[in-house]
Amino acid sequence: MPPSENSPIDFDDQDAVLAAAVRSFEVAAKRAAAENDARGIPTPVGVNGTVRYVLNGRLLDETGSSK
C-alpha cells in the first residue's frame, strides 16, 4: 500500500512501520510517565524481567520507598 497523502510511511515497508510504532509508543510512554509524576503516581517499568516502579525519575523499592 503506498503512503497516503497524510502519511510519509510506506505501509509495505515493514521496517518503517515498526519504527513508527516504536516511536509512537516511546512518546506515549514518556507522556504517561510525566503525567504520573505530576500526580504523584509511580510508573511501572520493566527491570531485569521484573516490574519495578519509578517516581520523578527515582527507582522505588518494593515497599514504595525511594532508594
Side-chain angles (χ1 to χ4, degrees):
M1 174 187 312
S4 73
E5 292 177 18
N6 298 328
S7 175
I9 299 170
D10 177 359
F11 290 101
D12 287 330
D13 182 350
Q14 258 186 330
D15 290 335
V17 172
L18 180 59
V22 168
R23 280 192 306 276
S24 178
F25 181 80
E26 288 172 346
V27 168
K30 288 177 183 177
R31 286 181 181 166
E35 186 171 327
N36 284 352
D37 285 349
R39 295 176 181 211
I41 301 168
T43 300
V45 295
V47 177
N48 296 328
T50 62
V51 176
R52 302 292 298 276
Y53 293 87
V54 173
L55 182 60
N56 295 318
R58 292 189 317 263
L59 187 62
L60 304 177
D61 67 16
E62 288 77 17
T63 66
S65 301
S66 63
K67 288 190 165 188

Short mmCIF file of all heavy atoms in Angstrom, two decimals:
data_model
loop_
_atom_site.label_atom_id
_atom_site.label_comp_id
_atom_site.label_asym_id
_atom_site.label_seq_id
_atom_site.Cartn_x
_atom_site.Cartn_y
_atom_site.Cartn_z
N MET A 1 0.85 -1.18 0.00
CA MET A 1 0.00 0.00 0.00
C MET A 1 0.90 1.24 0.00
O MET A 1 1.76 1.35 0.86
CB MET A 1 -0.88 -0.04 1.26
CG MET A 1 -1.70 1.18 1.46
SD MET A 1 -2.62 1.25 3.04
CE MET A 1 -3.38 -0.33 3.11
N PRO A 2 0.71 2.14 -0.91
CA PRO A 2 1.54 3.34 -0.95
C PRO A 2 1.18 4.28 0.20
O PRO A 2 0.09 4.16 0.79
CB PRO A 2 1.17 3.96 -2.30
CG PRO A 2 -0.16 3.42 -2.63
CD PRO A 2 -0.25 2.06 -1.98
N PRO A 3 2.06 5.20 0.53
CA PRO A 3 1.74 6.15 1.60
C PRO A 3 0.53 7.00 1.24
O PRO A 3 0.32 7.31 0.07
CB PRO A 3 2.99 7.02 1.73
CG PRO A 3 3.92 6.62 0.67
CD PRO A 3 3.36 5.43 -0.05
N SER A 4 -0.28 7.31 2.22
CA SER A 4 -1.43 8.18 1.95
C SER A 4 -0.94 9.62 1.87
O SER A 4 0.23 9.91 2.13
CB SER A 4 -2.46 8.04 3.07
OG SER A 4 -2.00 8.68 4.24
N GLU A 5 -1.83 10.51 1.53
CA GLU A 5 -1.46 11.92 1.45
C GLU A 5 -1.03 12.45 2.81
O GLU A 5 -0.25 13.39 2.89
CB GLU A 5 -2.63 12.73 0.91
CG GLU A 5 -2.96 12.44 -0.53
CD GLU A 5 -4.17 13.21 -1.01
OE1 GLU A 5 -4.56 14.19 -0.36
OE2 GLU A 5 -4.74 12.82 -2.05
N ASN A 6 -1.56 11.87 3.88
CA ASN A 6 -1.28 12.37 5.22
C ASN A 6 -0.15 11.60 5.92
O ASN A 6 0.19 11.92 7.05
CB ASN A 6 -2.53 12.27 6.09
CG ASN A 6 -3.65 13.13 5.55
OD1 ASN A 6 -3.40 14.18 4.95
ND2 ASN A 6 -4.87 12.71 5.74
N SER A 7 0.41 10.57 5.31
CA SER A 7 1.41 9.75 5.97
C SER A 7 2.63 9.56 5.08
O SER A 7 2.51 9.17 3.93
CB SER A 7 0.82 8.37 6.31
OG SER A 7 1.83 7.54 6.85
N PRO A 8 3.81 9.81 5.65
CA PRO A 8 5.03 9.59 4.87
C PRO A 8 5.47 8.12 4.89
O PRO A 8 6.48 7.77 4.29
CB PRO A 8 6.05 10.46 5.59
CG PRO A 8 5.58 10.47 7.00
CD PRO A 8 4.07 10.43 6.92
N ILE A 9 4.74 7.26 5.58
CA ILE A 9 5.13 5.86 5.73
C ILE A 9 4.58 5.01 4.61
O ILE A 9 3.39 5.06 4.29
CB ILE A 9 4.63 5.31 7.09
CG1 ILE A 9 5.26 6.10 8.23
CG2 ILE A 9 4.97 3.83 7.22
CD1 ILE A 9 4.65 5.79 9.57
N ASP A 10 5.44 4.22 4.02
CA ASP A 10 5.03 3.22 3.03
C ASP A 10 4.66 1.96 3.82
O ASP A 10 5.53 1.32 4.41
CB ASP A 10 6.17 2.94 2.06
CG ASP A 10 5.82 1.86 1.05
OD1 ASP A 10 4.70 1.31 1.11
OD2 ASP A 10 6.68 1.57 0.20
N PHE A 11 3.39 1.62 3.87
CA PHE A 11 2.93 0.52 4.72
C PHE A 11 3.37 -0.85 4.21
O PHE A 11 3.20 -1.85 4.90
CB PHE A 11 1.42 0.60 4.92
CG PHE A 11 1.04 1.77 5.78
CD1 PHE A 11 0.56 2.93 5.20
CD2 PHE A 11 1.21 1.73 7.14
CE1 PHE A 11 0.24 4.03 5.99
CE2 PHE A 11 0.89 2.83 7.94
CZ PHE A 11 0.40 3.97 7.35
N ASP A 12 3.98 -0.91 3.04
CA ASP A 12 4.58 -2.15 2.56
C ASP A 12 6.01 -2.31 3.10
O ASP A 12 6.60 -3.37 2.97
CB ASP A 12 4.62 -2.19 1.04
CG ASP A 12 3.23 -2.43 0.44
OD1 ASP A 12 2.41 -3.10 1.10
OD2 ASP A 12 2.97 -1.92 -0.66
N ASP A 13 6.54 -1.27 3.72
CA ASP A 13 7.89 -1.29 4.28
C ASP A 13 7.78 -1.64 5.77
O ASP A 13 7.53 -0.78 6.61
CB ASP A 13 8.56 0.06 4.08
CG ASP A 13 9.98 0.11 4.60
OD1 ASP A 13 10.43 -0.83 5.29
OD2 ASP A 13 10.66 1.12 4.30
N GLN A 14 7.95 -2.93 6.09
CA GLN A 14 7.77 -3.40 7.46
C GLN A 14 8.67 -2.67 8.45
O GLN A 14 8.25 -2.36 9.55
CB GLN A 14 8.06 -4.90 7.56
CG GLN A 14 6.83 -5.74 7.61
CD GLN A 14 7.18 -7.20 7.85
OE1 GLN A 14 8.22 -7.67 7.46
NE2 GLN A 14 6.27 -7.89 8.49
N ASP A 15 9.92 -2.42 8.07
CA ASP A 15 10.85 -1.73 8.97
C ASP A 15 10.36 -0.32 9.29
O ASP A 15 10.45 0.13 10.43
CB ASP A 15 12.25 -1.69 8.37
CG ASP A 15 12.91 -3.05 8.34
OD1 ASP A 15 12.54 -3.93 9.15
OD2 ASP A 15 13.81 -3.25 7.49
N ALA A 16 9.84 0.37 8.29
CA ALA A 16 9.35 1.74 8.50
C ALA A 16 8.12 1.73 9.40
O ALA A 16 7.98 2.58 10.29
CB ALA A 16 9.02 2.41 7.17
N VAL A 17 7.23 0.78 9.21
CA VAL A 17 6.02 0.68 10.04
C VAL A 17 6.41 0.35 11.48
O VAL A 17 5.91 0.97 12.43
CB VAL A 17 5.04 -0.38 9.47
CG1 VAL A 17 3.89 -0.62 10.43
CG2 VAL A 17 4.53 0.06 8.11
N LEU A 18 7.32 -0.60 11.67
CA LEU A 18 7.77 -0.96 13.02
C LEU A 18 8.45 0.22 13.70
O LEU A 18 8.18 0.52 14.87
CB LEU A 18 8.71 -2.16 12.96
CG LEU A 18 9.24 -2.64 14.30
CD1 LEU A 18 8.10 -3.03 15.23
CD2 LEU A 18 10.20 -3.80 14.10
N ALA A 19 9.29 0.93 12.98
CA ALA A 19 9.98 2.09 13.55
C ALA A 19 8.98 3.17 13.98
O ALA A 19 9.11 3.78 15.04
CB ALA A 19 10.98 2.66 12.56
N ALA A 20 7.96 3.39 13.17
CA ALA A 20 6.93 4.38 13.52
C ALA A 20 6.15 3.95 14.75
O ALA A 20 5.83 4.77 15.62
CB ALA A 20 5.99 4.60 12.34
N ALA A 21 5.84 2.66 14.86
CA ALA A 21 5.12 2.15 16.02
C ALA A 21 5.96 2.30 17.28
O ALA A 21 5.46 2.70 18.34
CB ALA A 21 4.73 0.70 15.81
N VAL A 22 7.25 2.00 17.20
CA VAL A 22 8.14 2.13 18.35
C VAL A 22 8.23 3.59 18.78
O VAL A 22 8.13 3.90 19.98
CB VAL A 22 9.54 1.54 18.03
CG1 VAL A 22 10.56 1.93 19.09
CG2 VAL A 22 9.46 0.03 17.89
N ARG A 23 8.41 4.50 17.83
CA ARG A 23 8.47 5.93 18.17
C ARG A 23 7.18 6.38 18.84
O ARG A 23 7.21 7.12 19.83
CB ARG A 23 8.72 6.77 16.91
CG ARG A 23 10.16 6.82 16.48
CD ARG A 23 10.41 7.88 15.41
NE ARG A 23 9.55 7.76 14.25
CZ ARG A 23 9.77 6.97 13.21
NH1 ARG A 23 10.83 6.19 13.18
NH2 ARG A 23 8.94 6.94 12.19
N SER A 24 6.05 5.94 18.31
CA SER A 24 4.76 6.33 18.87
C SER A 24 4.63 5.83 20.31
O SER A 24 4.18 6.56 21.19
CB SER A 24 3.64 5.76 18.00
OG SER A 24 2.39 6.07 18.55
N PHE A 25 5.03 4.58 20.55
CA PHE A 25 4.96 4.01 21.90
C PHE A 25 5.89 4.77 22.85
O PHE A 25 5.52 5.07 23.98
CB PHE A 25 5.33 2.53 21.88
CG PHE A 25 5.26 1.90 23.23
CD1 PHE A 25 4.05 1.51 23.76
CD2 PHE A 25 6.41 1.73 23.99
CE1 PHE A 25 3.97 0.95 25.02
CE2 PHE A 25 6.34 1.17 25.25
CZ PHE A 25 5.12 0.78 25.77
N GLU A 26 7.10 5.10 22.39
CA GLU A 26 8.05 5.83 23.24
C GLU A 26 7.48 7.18 23.67
O GLU A 26 7.57 7.57 24.84
CB GLU A 26 9.37 6.04 22.51
CG GLU A 26 10.19 4.78 22.37
CD GLU A 26 11.41 4.96 21.48
OE1 GLU A 26 11.50 5.98 20.74
OE2 GLU A 26 12.28 4.06 21.51
N VAL A 27 6.89 7.89 22.72
CA VAL A 27 6.31 9.21 23.03
C VAL A 27 5.16 9.06 24.02
O VAL A 27 5.08 9.80 25.00
CB VAL A 27 5.84 9.91 21.73
CG1 VAL A 27 4.98 11.13 22.04
CG2 VAL A 27 7.04 10.30 20.89
N ALA A 28 4.29 8.09 23.80
CA ALA A 28 3.15 7.88 24.69
C ALA A 28 3.61 7.48 26.09
O ALA A 28 3.07 7.95 27.09
CB ALA A 28 2.21 6.82 24.11
N ALA A 29 4.61 6.61 26.17
CA ALA A 29 5.12 6.17 27.48
C ALA A 29 5.74 7.33 28.24
O ALA A 29 5.52 7.48 29.46
CB ALA A 29 6.12 5.04 27.30
N LYS A 30 6.50 8.18 27.56
CA LYS A 30 7.10 9.34 28.23
C LYS A 30 6.04 10.32 28.72
O LYS A 30 6.15 10.87 29.82
CB LYS A 30 8.08 10.04 27.28
CG LYS A 30 9.36 9.25 27.07
CD LYS A 30 10.27 9.94 26.08
CE LYS A 30 11.50 9.09 25.82
NZ LYS A 30 12.38 9.69 24.81
N ARG A 31 5.01 10.53 27.90
CA ARG A 31 3.93 11.44 28.32
C ARG A 31 3.18 10.87 29.53
O ARG A 31 2.83 11.59 30.46
CB ARG A 31 2.97 11.68 27.18
CG ARG A 31 3.52 12.58 26.12
CD ARG A 31 2.53 12.81 25.00
NE ARG A 31 3.12 13.68 23.98
CZ ARG A 31 2.60 13.83 22.79
NH1 ARG A 31 1.50 13.19 22.45
NH2 ARG A 31 3.19 14.62 21.91
N ALA A 32 2.92 9.56 29.51
CA ALA A 32 2.21 8.93 30.63
C ALA A 32 3.05 9.01 31.90
O ALA A 32 2.51 9.30 32.99
CB ALA A 32 1.89 7.47 30.29
N ALA A 33 4.35 8.77 31.80
CA ALA A 33 5.22 8.84 32.98
C ALA A 33 5.25 10.27 33.53
O ALA A 33 5.20 10.46 34.75
CB ALA A 33 6.62 8.37 32.63
N ALA A 34 5.32 11.26 32.65
CA ALA A 34 5.33 12.65 33.10
C ALA A 34 4.02 13.01 33.80
O ALA A 34 4.01 13.69 34.83
CB ALA A 34 5.57 13.58 31.91
N GLU A 35 2.90 12.53 33.26
CA GLU A 35 1.61 12.79 33.90
C GLU A 35 1.53 12.09 35.26
O GLU A 35 1.06 12.66 36.23
CB GLU A 35 0.48 12.32 32.99
CG GLU A 35 -0.89 12.69 33.53
CD GLU A 35 -2.01 12.43 32.56
OE1 GLU A 35 -1.81 12.55 31.34
OE2 GLU A 35 -3.11 12.10 33.04
N ASN A 36 2.01 10.85 35.33
CA ASN A 36 2.03 10.13 36.60
C ASN A 36 2.88 10.88 37.62
O ASN A 36 2.49 11.03 38.78
CB ASN A 36 2.56 8.71 36.43
CG ASN A 36 1.55 7.78 35.81
OD1 ASN A 36 0.40 8.12 35.62
ND2 ASN A 36 2.00 6.58 35.48
N ASP A 37 4.07 11.34 37.20
CA ASP A 37 4.94 12.10 38.10
C ASP A 37 4.23 13.33 38.64
O ASP A 37 4.29 13.64 39.83
CB ASP A 37 6.23 12.52 37.40
CG ASP A 37 7.22 11.38 37.22
OD1 ASP A 37 7.02 10.30 37.82
OD2 ASP A 37 8.21 11.57 36.48
N ALA A 38 3.53 14.06 37.76
CA ALA A 38 2.82 15.27 38.16
C ALA A 38 1.73 14.97 39.18
O ALA A 38 1.42 15.80 40.03
CB ALA A 38 2.23 15.96 36.94
N ARG A 39 1.16 13.77 39.11
CA ARG A 39 0.10 13.38 40.04
C ARG A 39 0.61 12.59 41.24
O ARG A 39 -0.18 12.19 42.09
CB ARG A 39 -0.94 12.55 39.31
CG ARG A 39 -1.66 13.32 38.24
CD ARG A 39 -2.60 12.45 37.47
NE ARG A 39 -3.27 13.21 36.44
CZ ARG A 39 -4.48 12.97 36.02
NH1 ARG A 39 -5.17 11.97 36.52
NH2 ARG A 39 -5.03 13.71 35.09
N GLY A 40 1.91 12.32 41.28
CA GLY A 40 2.48 11.56 42.39
C GLY A 40 2.21 10.07 42.30
O GLY A 40 2.21 9.37 43.31
N ILE A 41 1.97 9.57 41.08
CA ILE A 41 1.66 8.15 40.88
C ILE A 41 2.90 7.45 40.34
O ILE A 41 3.42 7.83 39.29
CB ILE A 41 0.51 7.98 39.88
CG1 ILE A 41 -0.74 8.70 40.38
CG2 ILE A 41 0.23 6.51 39.60
CD1 ILE A 41 -1.84 8.83 39.33
N PRO A 42 3.42 6.41 41.01
CA PRO A 42 4.57 5.68 40.47
C PRO A 42 4.22 5.02 39.13
O PRO A 42 3.11 4.55 38.92
CB PRO A 42 4.85 4.62 41.53
CG PRO A 42 4.22 5.14 42.78
CD PRO A 42 3.02 5.92 42.33
N THR A 43 5.19 4.98 38.23
CA THR A 43 5.03 4.38 36.91
C THR A 43 5.71 3.01 36.89
O THR A 43 6.88 2.91 37.26
CB THR A 43 5.68 5.28 35.84
OG1 THR A 43 5.03 6.56 35.86
CG2 THR A 43 5.55 4.67 34.45
N PRO A 44 4.99 1.95 36.48
CA PRO A 44 5.63 0.64 36.40
C PRO A 44 6.60 0.57 35.22
O PRO A 44 6.33 1.10 34.15
CB PRO A 44 4.46 -0.32 36.18
CG PRO A 44 3.37 0.51 35.60
CD PRO A 44 3.58 1.91 36.11
N VAL A 45 7.76 -0.04 35.47
CA VAL A 45 8.77 -0.23 34.43
C VAL A 45 9.33 -1.64 34.55
O VAL A 45 9.31 -2.23 35.62
CB VAL A 45 9.92 0.80 34.54
CG1 VAL A 45 9.41 2.20 34.30
CG2 VAL A 45 10.62 0.72 35.86
N GLY A 46 9.84 -2.17 33.46
CA GLY A 46 10.48 -3.48 33.49
C GLY A 46 11.96 -3.33 33.76
O GLY A 46 12.65 -2.57 33.10
N VAL A 47 12.45 -4.05 34.78
CA VAL A 47 13.87 -4.02 35.13
C VAL A 47 14.32 -5.46 35.32
O VAL A 47 13.86 -6.14 36.25
CB VAL A 47 14.15 -3.21 36.42
CG1 VAL A 47 15.62 -3.27 36.78
CG2 VAL A 47 13.68 -1.77 36.27
N ASN A 48 15.19 -5.94 34.44
CA ASN A 48 15.73 -7.31 34.55
C ASN A 48 14.62 -8.35 34.68
O ASN A 48 14.71 -9.26 35.51
CB ASN A 48 16.71 -7.41 35.71
CG ASN A 48 17.94 -6.56 35.51
OD1 ASN A 48 18.39 -6.35 34.39
ND2 ASN A 48 18.48 -6.03 36.58
N GLY A 49 13.57 -8.21 33.90
CA GLY A 49 12.50 -9.20 33.89
C GLY A 49 11.50 -9.08 35.03
O GLY A 49 10.62 -9.92 35.18
N THR A 50 11.62 -8.06 35.86
CA THR A 50 10.66 -7.84 36.95
C THR A 50 10.05 -6.45 36.80
O THR A 50 10.60 -5.58 36.15
CB THR A 50 11.32 -7.95 38.34
OG1 THR A 50 12.31 -6.94 38.45
CG2 THR A 50 11.94 -9.31 38.55
N VAL A 51 8.90 -6.26 37.42
CA VAL A 51 8.26 -4.94 37.38
C VAL A 51 8.70 -4.15 38.61
O VAL A 51 8.63 -4.63 39.73
CB VAL A 51 6.72 -5.07 37.37
CG1 VAL A 51 6.07 -3.70 37.44
CG2 VAL A 51 6.27 -5.81 36.14
N ARG A 52 9.21 -2.96 38.37
CA ARG A 52 9.59 -2.03 39.43
C ARG A 52 8.83 -0.74 39.18
O ARG A 52 8.16 -0.59 38.16
CB ARG A 52 11.10 -1.77 39.38
CG ARG A 52 11.95 -3.02 39.53
CD ARG A 52 11.89 -3.65 40.91
NE ARG A 52 12.38 -2.79 41.95
CZ ARG A 52 13.66 -2.66 42.29
NH1 ARG A 52 14.58 -3.35 41.64
NH2 ARG A 52 14.02 -1.83 43.24
N TYR A 53 8.95 0.20 40.07
CA TYR A 53 8.22 1.46 39.94
C TYR A 53 9.17 2.64 40.03
O TYR A 53 10.13 2.62 40.80
CB TYR A 53 7.13 1.56 41.02
CG TYR A 53 6.06 0.53 40.80
CD1 TYR A 53 6.18 -0.75 41.32
CD2 TYR A 53 4.96 0.82 40.02
CE1 TYR A 53 5.21 -1.71 41.09
CE2 TYR A 53 3.99 -0.13 39.77
CZ TYR A 53 4.13 -1.38 40.31
OH TYR A 53 3.18 -2.33 40.06
N VAL A 54 8.87 3.67 39.22
CA VAL A 54 9.67 4.89 39.17
C VAL A 54 8.75 6.06 39.46
O VAL A 54 7.62 6.12 38.97
CB VAL A 54 10.33 5.06 37.78
CG1 VAL A 54 11.02 6.40 37.66
CG2 VAL A 54 11.29 3.92 37.51
N LEU A 55 9.24 7.00 40.27
CA LEU A 55 8.50 8.24 40.54
C LEU A 55 9.50 9.38 40.47
O LEU A 55 10.53 9.36 41.16
CB LEU A 55 7.84 8.19 41.92
CG LEU A 55 7.00 9.41 42.30
CD1 LEU A 55 5.86 9.63 41.31
CD2 LEU A 55 6.45 9.26 43.71
N ASN A 56 9.20 10.36 39.63
CA ASN A 56 10.08 11.52 39.43
C ASN A 56 11.51 11.12 39.12
O ASN A 56 12.46 11.69 39.64
CB ASN A 56 10.02 12.45 40.65
CG ASN A 56 8.66 13.06 40.84
OD1 ASN A 56 8.02 13.46 39.88
ND2 ASN A 56 8.19 13.09 42.07
N GLY A 57 11.68 10.08 38.29
CA GLY A 57 12.99 9.66 37.86
C GLY A 57 13.76 8.80 38.85
O GLY A 57 14.89 8.43 38.60
N ARG A 58 13.14 8.47 40.00
CA ARG A 58 13.82 7.65 41.01
C ARG A 58 13.19 6.27 41.06
O ARG A 58 11.96 6.14 41.13
CB ARG A 58 13.72 8.30 42.39
CG ARG A 58 14.50 9.59 42.52
CD ARG A 58 14.56 10.08 43.94
NE ARG A 58 13.28 9.99 44.63
CZ ARG A 58 12.41 10.99 44.76
NH1 ARG A 58 12.67 12.15 44.22
NH2 ARG A 58 11.30 10.83 45.42
N LEU A 59 14.03 5.25 41.07
CA LEU A 59 13.56 3.88 41.19
C LEU A 59 13.13 3.63 42.62
O LEU A 59 13.86 3.92 43.57
CB LEU A 59 14.69 2.90 40.80
CG LEU A 59 14.34 1.43 40.71
CD1 LEU A 59 13.29 1.20 39.62
CD2 LEU A 59 15.58 0.62 40.43
N LEU A 60 11.91 3.13 42.81
CA LEU A 60 11.39 2.84 44.14
C LEU A 60 11.65 1.39 44.49
O LEU A 60 11.71 0.53 43.61
CB LEU A 60 9.88 3.11 44.19
CG LEU A 60 9.43 4.52 43.78
CD1 LEU A 60 7.93 4.62 43.80
CD2 LEU A 60 10.06 5.56 44.67
N ASP A 61 11.78 1.08 45.76
CA ASP A 61 11.94 -0.32 46.16
C ASP A 61 10.57 -0.97 46.29
O ASP A 61 9.54 -0.36 46.00
CB ASP A 61 12.79 -0.46 47.43
CG ASP A 61 12.10 0.12 48.67
OD1 ASP A 61 10.88 0.36 48.64
OD2 ASP A 61 12.79 0.32 49.68
N GLU A 62 10.53 -2.23 46.73
CA GLU A 62 9.27 -2.98 46.78
C GLU A 62 8.25 -2.39 47.75
O GLU A 62 7.06 -2.60 47.64
CB GLU A 62 9.55 -4.44 47.17
CG GLU A 62 10.23 -5.26 46.08
CD GLU A 62 11.72 -4.97 45.96
OE1 GLU A 62 12.32 -4.38 46.89
OE2 GLU A 62 12.29 -5.32 44.92
N THR A 63 8.71 -1.61 48.72
CA THR A 63 7.80 -1.01 49.70
C THR A 63 7.25 0.34 49.22
O THR A 63 6.43 0.93 49.89
CB THR A 63 8.50 -0.80 51.05
OG1 THR A 63 9.53 0.17 50.89
CG2 THR A 63 9.07 -2.09 51.58
N GLY A 64 7.76 0.81 48.08
CA GLY A 64 7.31 2.11 47.56
C GLY A 64 8.18 3.26 48.03
O GLY A 64 7.89 4.41 47.76
N SER A 65 9.29 2.94 48.72
CA SER A 65 10.23 3.98 49.17
C SER A 65 11.26 4.24 48.10
O SER A 65 11.63 3.33 47.36
CB SER A 65 10.95 3.52 50.45
OG SER A 65 10.03 3.26 51.46
N SER A 66 11.73 5.47 48.03
CA SER A 66 12.78 5.76 47.06
C SER A 66 14.11 5.28 47.60
O SER A 66 14.34 5.24 48.79
CB SER A 66 12.84 7.25 46.76
OG SER A 66 13.17 7.98 47.91
N LYS A 67 14.98 4.86 46.66
CA LYS A 67 16.31 4.38 47.06
C LYS A 67 17.30 5.50 47.05
O LYS A 67 17.20 6.44 46.36
CB LYS A 67 16.77 3.28 46.09
CG LYS A 67 16.02 2.02 46.29
CD LYS A 67 16.68 0.93 45.48
CE LYS A 67 16.16 -0.40 45.96
NZ LYS A 67 16.84 -1.51 45.41
#
